[in-house]
Amino acid sequence: MNRACVLLPEWKRCVASAQVANGTLSRWLARGNRLESSPAGIEQAIRDLFEFGGRAFPAAALSRQVDVGDAAGSLWLRADPAHLRADMTTARMLACGELGLSASETGELAKALKPLFGDAGFEFDARLPNRWYLRAAMAAELPQCATPDEAMGDDLKLHLPAGASGRRWRQLYNDAQIILHNHAVNERRAARGAVTVNSLWFWGAGALPAWVRSPLTKVVSPSLEICALAALAGIPVHEAEGDAIGTLPQRNSEAVCLIDLANLRGDALEQGGLQPLDRALRRGGFGAVELFFASGERYLCRAAHRYRFWRRPRGLQP
């Protein structure tokens, strides 16, 4: 039986959109089956679909493999450009990665930061404006930090590496802020009202997995990490939007398709992702849809469940 495994945003984000909360998901969840929940986090949802070694989720190595193709043989850490705002007691991250940097601005900032990390034994690489990397030897100790999504808007003291083992990284974090604060690139950006790059955010530490296994047969995802895992597992990655989703499986096959909608919100999620999936489910393109919310909730909705008319949709509840 064809099955679609669908990655979705956190439950609270779906509830926050009236169109999503009262649309396709409301009907599916009313008539489908609730499954045992998993720990929260999109990384856990990905681990439920891909099997690979190691306890950490090596986001940096996976995205590096897609970006450059040289991730094997080293440890990697993302050191993405970020914008913080300080108040009386702490600092909060307001943006990370996509700050609108030009290639020339990226090059100037990288030139200033490379000696700091080189002296600490790491290779700093900022060839892309939105994804910056540190390469380390396989024996190096790298910090396990929150993802930008997890840290965004929160008190950053709660997410910085703790204890004696984290002291080195807290110092590098502070030293990088000093370099960036005084840099001419930021002076020019501030003068024209652009967001400044006043910090880095370390996250995604790990090595490229030596092996990856998965029951999936096709993948549709904009995520670099998912695409890298699919490539390592020998699974084809497809581009599909809207009604093209319904053409992914073939009738009477055993396809297991991953459809990643986790970054969509509001109308884009309902009309561009869920409604085309619902049409595919109704006409038999998929026999079942398994839902993986980033907050850990899991549901199974079979095509035949639409006949459970006695289960009335009541909208998603907070």
Side-chain angles (χ1 to χ4, degrees):
M1 177 182 66
N2 288 323
R3 178 163 56 98
C5 299
V6 185
L7 295 184
L8 292 167
E10 293 179 333
W11 183 276
K12 65 181 180 181
R13 293 185 182 273
C14 295
V15 171
S17 167
Q19 186 172 8
V20 174
N22 297 293
T24 304
L25 281 180
S26 175
R27 187 175 65 258
W28 281 356
L29 271 53
R31 296 172 179 167
N33 295 334
R34 179 80 185 258
L35 305 177
E36 183 178 355
S37 295
S38 293
I42 196 65
E43 293 178 355
Q44 180 60 50
I46 295 172
R47 275 197 172 275
D48 288 345
L49 295 166
F50 293 93
E51 180 185 359
F52 52 92
R55 287 184 288 181
F57 186 83
L62 292 169
S63 62
R64 177 72 182 195
Q65 185 65 15
V66 175
D67 283 339
V68 186
D70 65 349
S74 299
L75 289 178
W76 294 92
L77 183 69
R78 290 277 286 271
D80 289 342
H83 177 75
L84 311 185
R85 179 172 294 172
D87 55 32
M88 293 294 292
T89 58
T90 188
R92 301 181 189 277
M93 184 162 60
L94 303 185
C96 186
E98 296 288 353
L99 302 184
L101 287 169
S102 67
S104 60
E105 288 174 329
T106 301
E108 289 183 61
L109 293 173
K111 184 177 180 180
L113 290 166
K114 280 183 178 181
L116 169 67
F117 293 106
D119 291 345
F122 304 105
E123 177 188 337
F124 181 79
D125 187 343
R127 69 181 69 189
L128 297 175
N130 58 336
R131 289 190 292 277
W132 296 359
Y133 294 92
L134 292 178
R135 184 200 296 261
M138 292 296 287
E141 292 187 13
L142 299 181
Q144 295 296 332
C145 298
T147 68
D149 282 347
E150 292 168 338
M152 194 70 65
D154 203 1
D155 182 345
L156 289 183
K157 292 197 300 289
L158 302 175
H159 299 287
L160 290 172
S165 61
R167 185 179 299 117
R168 179 190 197 190
W169 291 98
R170 295 194 299 273
Q171 187 63 53
L172 287 170
Y173 172 82
N174 291 330
D175 290 347
Q177 288 183 342
I178 293 171
I179 292 171
L180 292 167
H181 177 75
N182 297 319
H183 202 282
V185 165
N186 277 324
E187 293 179 1
R188 296 194 300 268
R189 290 179 67 84
R192 67 175 188 265
V195 174
T196 58
V197 184
N198 57 12
S199 187
L200 303 178
W201 190 248
F202 304 129
W203 69 283
L208 193 70
W211 55 268
V212 178
R213 291 191 290 265
S214 175
L216 299 170
T217 56
K218 298 181 182 181
V219 166
V220 179
S221 175
S223 164
L224 297 180
E225 294 82 9
I226 290 176
C227 289
L229 288 169
L232 290 168
I235 302 168
V237 177
H238 296 256
E239 294 183 5
E241 296 182 356
D243 284 328
I245 289 173
T247 67
L248 285 172
Q250 296 178 351
R251 290 177 182 272
N252 302 319
S253 73
E254 295 296 324
V256 183
C257 302
L258 170 60
I259 299 175
D260 180 6
L261 307 179
N263 290 326
L264 299 183
R265 304 286 184 268
D267 291 352
L269 175 57
E270 175 63 22
Q271 297 181 9
L274 296 172
Q275 289 182 8
L277 268 173
D278 190 47
R279 288 191 288 271
L281 189 64
R282 287 172 176 272
R283 62 178 177 249
F286 290 112
V289 173
E290 189 171 353
L291 306 178
F292 295 73
F293 287 85
S295 44
E297 298 85 358
R298 301 286 187 268
Y299 285 84
L300 178 65
C301 307
R302 299 184 184 277
H305 287 169
R306 67 183 183 271
Y307 298 115
R308 291 174 167 176
F309 298 114
W310 62 93
R311 294 190 179 185
R312 299 182 61 184
R314 301 183 184 276
L316 303 189
Q317 302 301 313

